[in-house]
C-alpha cells in the first residue's frame, strides 16, 4: 500500500516538474519490490519509459569510482593519504591528497572545508588508471558491470561509435552489446519556467571518474544488491565509504568516500544524485539499516536541478522526502 501511494505521488511530481520520462525501482533486502516506468523516454516517437530504459546517470558514476578505489585499498595498491599530484597535475593545491579529493575537501586549504566539485572528482580517473594498471572504463566494465551482470550498462556513451583506441579495449561481443543498449537510450529534454519541454543535446559522450556511465534503473538495482551483499567490497570497507569524512578541525562533512552520508531521525542515509543540466538526472537513496533503496533516473534535469542537493541534505528533494516517509 505504501509503495502504491508513493507511485502516485511520484507520477504527480513528474508531471509537476515537467519530467518527460522517469524510471523507478525500490529494492528491499536485495529484491526489487516495486518498479515503474513513467512518462516517455522519447517524446517525438511516443516511446514509453521502462525500467530497462538506458540513461546517462551523471554523478551516480562517482559511487562506482568509489568501489574501484576502495578495491585498490583492499588490494594494497593505493594509499588514500598520499598526494594526488603523484597521479595528476589537475589539482593545483600541493598538499591535497587522494582522500581530500575523494571527500570534496581539497579546494583552497586542503582538508579545511567541504565543497562538492565534480570537476575535481574527475581527477580520480588517473588514480584508478594507476592503481589498477588499466584504463578507467575498462576496469569499470570488468570489475563491476560484468562481474554483477549489468548487461544494460555502458561505460561511456561514445562506445556507440568509438574511436579505434577506445573500441580496442573491448571484445566485439561487448561492443555489439553496448551499441544495442545505446540504440535504446532515452532522449534528453529541457523544461522551461512555464513547463514547456523541448529536445536538448546529449551531454559529452565520454566517461571519467565523476560522470559518464549509462545505465538503467533495473541494472542499478543489481548494483545496489552487489553493495548490500558485499560482493564488491568487504563489509568494513563499505562502512568506511559510508562514514562521514572530517575536516582537519574534526568537523564532520556530509560526504564519505564517494557517497553523501547523513543521519535522519537517528538513522544513517547514504545517497547520491546525478545532474546533467537540461538533459538528465538521477537519484539513489539507501537506508542500510532497513535494507531499502530508492533508484530514480530521468531524461530531464528535474530530479536534481531545482534542489540544492550539493549542500548535503537529501530531504530538500521531494522525491527523497516522500520515500523516507514511507520507510519510517
Amino acid at each position: 500500500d505504501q509503495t502504491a501511494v508513493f507511485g502516485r505521488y511520484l507520477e504527480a511530481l513528474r508531471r509537476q516538474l515537467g519530467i518527460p520520462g522517469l524510471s523507478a525501482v525500490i529494492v528491499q533486502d536485495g529484491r526489487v519490490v516495486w518498479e515503474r516506468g513513467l512518462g516517455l523516454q522519447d517524446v517525438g516517437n511516443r516511446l514509453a519509459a521502462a525500467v530497462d530504459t538506458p540513461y546517462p546517470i551523471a554523478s551516480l558514476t562517482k559511487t562506482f569510482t568509489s568501489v574501484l578505489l576502495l578495491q585498490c585499498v583492499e588490494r594494497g595498491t593505493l594509499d588514500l593519504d598520499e598526494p594526488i599530484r603523484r597521479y595528476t597535475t589537475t589539482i593545483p593545491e600541493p598538499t591535497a591528497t587522494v582522500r581530500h579529493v575523494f571527500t570534496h575537501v581539497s579546494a583552497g586549504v586542503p582538508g579545511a572545508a567541504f565543497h562538492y566539485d565534480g570537476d575535481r572528482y574527475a581527477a580520480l580517473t588517473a588514480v584508478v588508471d594507476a592503481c589498477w594498471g588499466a584504463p578507467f572504463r575498462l576496469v569499470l566494465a570488468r570489475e563491476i558491470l560484468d562481474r554483477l551482470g549489468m548487461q544494460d550498462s555502458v561505460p561511456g556513451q561514445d562506445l556507440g561509435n568509438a574511436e579505434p583506441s577506445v573500441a580496442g579495449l573491448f571484445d566485439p561481443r561487448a561492443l555489439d552489446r553496448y551499441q544495442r543498449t545505446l540504440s535504446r537510450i532515452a532522449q534528453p529534454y529541457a523544461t522551461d519556467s512555464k513547463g514547456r519541454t523541448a529536445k536538448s543535446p546529449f551531454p559529452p559522450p565520454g566517461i571519467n571518474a565523476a560522470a559518464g556511465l549509462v545505465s538503467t534503473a533495473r541494472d542499478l538495482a543489481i548494483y545496489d544488491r552487489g553493495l548490500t551483499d558485499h560482493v564488491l567490497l568487504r563489509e568494513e570497507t563499505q562502512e568506511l565509504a559510508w562514514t562521514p569524512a572530517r575536516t582537519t578541525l574534526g568537523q564532520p562533512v556530509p560526504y564519505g568516500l564517494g557517497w553523501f552520508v547523513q543521519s535522519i531521525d537517528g538513522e544513517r542515509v547514504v545517497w547520491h544524485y546525478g545532474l546533467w543540466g537540461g538533459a538528465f538526472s538521477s537519484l539513489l537513496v539507501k537506508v542500510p539499516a532497513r535494507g531499502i533503496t530508492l533508484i530514480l533516473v530521468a531524461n530531464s534535469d528535474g530530479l536534481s536541478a531545482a534542489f540544492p542537493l550539493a549542500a548535503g541534505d537529501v530531504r530538500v528533494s521531494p522525491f527523497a522526502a516522500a520515500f523516507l516517509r514511507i520507510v519510517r
Side-chain angles (χ1 to χ4, degrees), residues 98-289:
V98 174
R99 188 187 302 273
H100 287 145
V101 177
F102 208 168
T103 56
H104 297 280
V105 296
S106 66
V109 178
F114 172 78
H115 177 70
Y116 180 80
D117 189 326
D119 290 338
R120 282 177 171 262
Y121 199 96
L124 296 172
T125 310
V127 183
V128 174
D129 292 350
C131 74
W132 279 100
F136 174 81
R137 71 166 87 215
L138 177 61
V139 177
L140 172 61
R142 185 184 69 205
E143 300 299 329
I144 302 180
L145 307 183
D146 295 346
R147 187 174 175 184
L148 294 179
M150 296 174 66
Q151 293 294 301
D152 286 332
S153 298
V154 183
Q157 194 180 336
D158 55 344
L159 287 171
N161 186 23
E163 296 289 332
S165 60
V166 174
L169 297 172
F170 301 96
D171 66 50
R173 287 179 300 176
L175 284 173
D176 179 66
R177 175 164 51 85
Y178 294 155
Q179 290 162 3
R180 284 186 281 110
T181 297
L182 293 170
S183 71
R184 303 185 288 107
I185 197 167
Q187 298 300 300
Y189 297 92
T191 304
D192 65 19
S193 59
K194 296 183 179 179
R196 295 174 299 195
T197 299
K199 185 81 180 294
S200 60
F202 275 97
I207 190 169
N208 58 44
L213 179 62
V214 175
S215 192
T216 69
R218 192 171 277 168
D219 261 12
L220 290 171
I222 296 173
Y223 171 59
D224 177 73
R225 180 169 184 172
L227 296 173
T228 299
D229 292 348
H230 305 296
V231 173
L232 300 172
L233 293 171
R234 294 195 291 262
E235 184 174 359
E236 61 270 23
T237 309
Q238 192 65 73
E239 282 295 308
L240 182 66
W242 291 345
T243 299
R246 291 183 177 271
T247 68
T248 49
L249 294 178
Q251 297 298 314
V253 301
Y255 207 84
L257 294 169
W259 293 84
F260 286 94
V261 186
Q262 66 185 115
S263 178
I264 298 175
D265 295 335
E267 287 193 294
R268 179 174 55 174
V269 177
V270 296
W271 58 279
H272 218 291
Y273 76 100
L275 173 62
W276 283 114
F280 294 99
S281 53
S282 53
L283 182 66
L284 189 154
V285 182
K286 186 175 183 66
V287 186

Side-chain angles (χ1 to χ4, degrees), residues 285-300:
V285 182
K286 186 175 183 66
V287 186
R290 294 181 183 257
I292 192 165
T293 303
L294 170 68
I295 298 161
L296 302 174
V297 280
N299 60 349
S300 80

Side-chain angles (χ1 to χ4, degrees), residues 25-76:
V25 170
I26 293 177
V27 181
Q28 176 73 64
D29 298 325
R31 184 173 63 91
V32 172
V33 295
W34 181 87
E35 60 181 13
R36 292 290 185 278
L38 304 172
L40 301 172
Q41 70 176 63
D42 184 335
V43 174
N45 290 308
R46 307 300 296 172
L47 293 178
V51 290
D52 61 352
T53 296
Y55 301 79
I57 62 170
S59 285
L60 287 193
T61 306
K62 291 181 174 67
T63 71
F64 289 78
T65 299
S66 172
V67 170
L68 297 177
L69 290 173
L70 291 174
Q71 286 175 338
C72 287
V73 171
E74 288 185 344
R75 294 164 64 236

